[in-house]
Amino acid sequence: MLGREDGGVRLTALGADGETLWTQSLVSEQLASAVARCEAEHSPRWVWSDAAAWYPSLLAAGVTLERCHDLRLVHRILRHSELVEDPALLRAASAWDAPLEPHEPVRETGQALFELDTAASRSAEVPSDAAGTLAELSRQRTALDASRAPSRLRLLLAAESAGALIAAELQAAGIPWDEAEHDRILTEALGPRPSPGSPPARMVEAGAEVRAALGDPLVPLDSPPRLLRALHRAGIDVSSTSQWELMEHDHPAIDPLLRYKKMSRLLTANGWTWLDEWVHEGRYRPVYVPGGVVTGRWASSGGGALQVPRQLRPAMRADPGWRLVSADVSQLEPRVLAAMSGDAAMITAGAGKDLYSGIVEAGIVATRQEAKVGVLGALYGGTTGDSGRVVPRLRQRFPAAMALVDGAAATGERGGTVTTWLGRSSPAPEEAWTAAQRSAHQVDAPGGAAETARRAARDRGRFTRNFVVQGTAAEWALSWMAALRLALDRFAPVPEQEAAGPSGPVFSRRAHLAFFLHDEVIVHAPASQAEDAAHAIQEAADAAGRLLFPGSAIDFPLDLTISERSAQK
DNA sequence: GTTCCCCGCGCG
DNA sequence: AAAGCGCGCGGGGAAC
């Protein structure tokens, strides 16, 4: 266990029952070397307040750890999990509910004009002193031992904690990013980089075309409300300025306007400013936030890691002599649903191939597109359009799978809580929601209150319907990455001359995780290790399937590619 | 002047 | 077509 104490850090070895075996005090400068020594000799599970606060400095010193117990992330899970019979102790310890923000935005400080906030100076921190750390560990062990499914929860807590290590490592390593290629893509789409403050040439041209077509030289293209009024004046009857609605209209202003909006999006979200801010020395290092989404998915904070547009994928490029090994899971969420529910027909439809094609071959729908829209409707609670038409057929042919999501929706509509496969529970409804449901039943309820409450209930039902599947898919993905990470860690270092410099001391000599996006990983590997890395990715996926769904026939096929440059797909 | 919310759009 | 879930971000503009 690591805990802070006056002037340094306390390193404590704990036994299986939590008893102290030995303890040692260190000044902070000794920490990295002491931790490295202990890791090499014992390979322990490190208990600490918060990986995001401890691990980056260890990584910077060249130290990696195999496993940890992240008290902050574990606390959030145990505190809310329905599987924990008596979470009162965890609920009381509210300092452990510090928000999952890994850092504050850039702020002004005294000496340096602008200084990036570091994990160590975050405003809301969980307690990291030795006594507080030990006390929280003890509460968590008590809660876990008394839970209804300790073995599943243990898997979840280990996977979540591994995710905390992975997130820090991903940020430390970064994904190799070809700045020249990014600039080429921007220049091709927008024109050459303009001087700061002025728009690029091709946006100026498109804007001029829009204004000419609307017969209004002053149309403000970047203000939706004002643009909307200008469109109305030109006789274009839209209710918003969104692209899908504009596309339905035939007017000479529409085409240049859509082009303008595309360019504007690219420029503001991932233009030269973004490149300057987020890519350094050939590495894009976004900030991942493990557990940042209620379902257990990761969020990101800064850098937009989870929204890198396809258009810019070719800027992901391996270092010379290295490869990108990319893998994404085909139809992860439907497969997870099939496995959770044990729906034999759905498992068969996905066996060894594209699940949507399997649904077509089973004669349930005519086209792959119909299958996809129908399955997404089942997961998200779609009731209208094509998905509304297909869902009843799926309900008939995949009764177990549909019963699981329909049941989760019904629970949510009643104000209940649902829980993922490994034990992460959905948040309780807000007080206002419950009050609205209660008052809607009263005789003197105002007109429309019943309908409003009903709609809120259905909204919540769609959320809980999706929660069990999205959350379990996140658990699968964490297990996948955790297994993959351990496998890559056993790869032998390549010779010095093959090293990839910018990946830092830890990741420059062997294959390492470089990017993660819900159901996709990218490994950056020396060319000589690329095949082995691809193999490890597939093996880790198989292992994750067996770990979560032992004995199930479900499989998780991957789309695997080895290349120098990421493809647009 | 700062803060917050909405819009629109990128991702899974 | 873009519905039905989960996000983050930039920009505008109203609210404070």
Side-chain angles (χ1 to χ4, degrees):
Chain A
M1 185 203 82
L2 288 177
R4 300 193 194 282
E5 61 178 13
D6 285 346
V9 177
R10 197 159 94 201
L11 197 158
T12 309
L14 300 167
D17 299 324
E19 80 277 21
T20 298
L21 300 178
W22 57 262
T23 188
Q24 183 185 357
S25 291
L26 304 161
V27 297
S28 297
E29 292 72 38
Q30 300 173 310
L31 178 64
S33 59
V35 165
R37 207 161 44 239
C38 186
E39 174 76 9
E41 288 170 18
H42 307 290
S43 194
R45 182 176 298 279
W46 293 91
V47 177
W48 52 27
S49 55
D50 180 2
W54 290 92
Y55 199 30
S57 62
L58 293 174
L59 284 170
V63 179
T64 53
L65 306 180
E66 198 164 302
R67 44 178 63 91
C68 80
H69 180 97
D70 186 301
L71 291 166
R72 179 184 57 140
L73 290 172
V74 167
H75 180 94
R76 290 177 77 89
I77 292 172
L78 291 179
R79 179 175 186 236
H80 293 105
S81 177
E82 277 189 309
L83 302 183
V84 174
E85 305 277 4
D86 180 15
L89 273 175
L90 294 170
R91 296 235 162 99
S94 61
W96 287 91
D97 294 321
L100 289 177
E101 282 305 314
H103 71 160
E104 289 177 340
V106 174
R107 60 177 185 148
E108 272 185 77
T109 57
Q111 289 286 332
L113 197 58
F114 290 101
E115 183 178 276
L116 265 177
D117 223 10
T118 62
S121 63
R122 292 178 306 154
S123 57
E125 271 201 75
V126 295
S128 60
D129 61 289
T133 300
L134 199 55
E136 173 63 14
L137 176 65
S138 164
R139 286 190 293 268
Q140 293 188 0
R141 284 186 154 158
T142 303
L144 183 59
D145 290 342
S147 72
R148 289 218 299 277
S151 56
R152 282 196 187 187
L153 271 172
R154 278 198 186 89
L155 284 183
L156 172 55
L157 305 182
E160 185 85 343
S161 295
L165 296 177
I166 292 165
E169 291 172 1
L170 282 170
Q171 201 189 349
I175 174 111
W177 196 271
D178 184 347
E179 299 179 53
E181 174 66 13
H182 188 149
D183 180 68
R184 265 195 297 280
I185 293 168
L186 293 179
T187 301
E188 193 185 320
L190 308 172
R193 179 174 193 166
S195 52
S198 41
R202 295 202 52 201
M203 277 179 71
V204 174
E205 293 161 21
E209 285 182 58
V210 175
R211 295 192 174 94
L214 293 176
D216 179 346
L218 296 172
V219 186
L221 299 173
D222 298 316
S223 164
R226 293 161 73 194
L227 173 59
L228 188 62
R229 287 197 290 276
L231 292 170
H232 288 167
R233 281 196 296 276
I236 305 172
D237 182 28
V238 285
S239 65
S240 75
T241 63
S242 65
Q243 52 184 347
W244 60 266
E245 196 175 353
L246 289 170
M247 274 189 291
E248 294 185 343
H249 288 78
D250 191 25
H251 185 284
I254 301 290
D255 178 64
L257 178 55
L258 290 174
R259 278 188 282 118
Y260 179 89
K261 287 164 77 79
K262 267 265 181 290
M263 289 188 272
S264 170
R265 166 75 194 184
L266 179 63
L267 177 70
T268 56
N270 298 98
W272 291 279
T273 311
W274 181 92
L275 191 54
D276 289 345
E277 187 177 357
W278 290 102
V279 180
H280 295 107
E281 293 163 344
R283 289 293 184 272
Y284 166 43
R285 293 189 168 88
V287 181
Y288 295 95
V289 186
V293 179
V294 281
T295 58
R297 273 188 174 183
W298 287 12
S300 69
S301 163
L306 312 182
Q307 309 148 248
V308 175
R310 291 164 180 283
Q311 196 178 3
L312 286 178
R313 279 300 185 103
M316 291 180 176
R317 198 186 63 174
D319 285 359
W322 287 56
R323 299 288 182 274
L324 294 179
V325 188
S326 310
D328 65 85
V329 195
S330 311
Q331 307 98 32
L332 175 59
E333 293 191 356
R335 288 173 189 279
V336 158
L337 172 59
M340 292 173 80
S341 61
D343 192 299
M346 199 166 175
I347 290 172
T348 302
K353 58 173 187 287
D354 180 80
L355 178 104
Y356 301 135
S357 305
I359 293 175
V360 174
E361 283 162 30
I364 299 167
V365 294
T367 65
R368 186 180 185 280
Q369 180 61 17
E370 259 188 309
K372 182 174 179 176
V373 168
V375 168
L376 293 180
L379 298 180
Y380 297 158
T383 55
T384 60
D386 286 351
S387 101
R389 275 191 294 280
V390 176
V391 169
R393 254 178 286 164
L394 298 180
R395 194 167 279 118
Q396 194 184 352
R397 302 292 291 268
F398 301 137
M402 291 303 301
L404 191 147
V405 282
D406 288 345
T411 299
E413 291 190 24
R414 287 195 306 270
T417 298
V418 295
T419 297
T420 61
W421 189 245
L422 294 186
R424 190 189 307 261
S425 295
S426 64
E430 289 182 8
E431 193 48 50
W433 185 94
T434 310
Q437 298 302 317
R438 211 172 25 239
S439 64
H441 296 307
Q442 290 167 6
V443 281
D444 57 348
E451 181 46 40
T452 305
R454 188 67 208 130
R455 191 169 343 105
R458 280 195 302 268
D459 287 349
R460 188 156 193 282
R462 284 194 302 275
F463 166 63
T464 52
R465 167 190 293 272
N466 186 246
F467 183 96
V468 291
V469 179
Q470 187 182 121
T472 303
E475 289 163 355
W476 184 93
L478 280 176
S479 306
W480 179 36
M481 271 201 299
L484 173 58
R485 171 180 179 272
L486 293 181
L488 295 178
D489 196 40
R490 290 192 289 269
F491 281 31
V494 293
E496 183 75 51
Q497 60 270 24
E498 292 178 39
S503 293
V506 177
F507 304 108
S508 58
R509 303 275 300 276
R510 60 164 177 83
H512 62 90
L513 279 159
F515 193 67
F516 170 60
L517 186 52
H518 305 315
D519 63 353
E520 172 189 9
V521 297
I522 300 180
V523 168
H524 188 218
S528 60
Q529 297 183 346
E531 287 287 347
D532 287 345
H535 195 64
I537 294 173
Q538 182 65 63
E539 288 206 323
D542 298 340
R546 287 192 301 269
L547 189 68
L548 264 70
F549 309 111
S552 170
I554 192 69
D555 59 355
F556 293 93
L558 303 180
D559 221 350
L560 257 169
T561 59
I562 299 174
S563 60
E564 293 181 26
R565 192 186 290 283
S566 188
Q568 261 189 59
K569 273 194 285 190

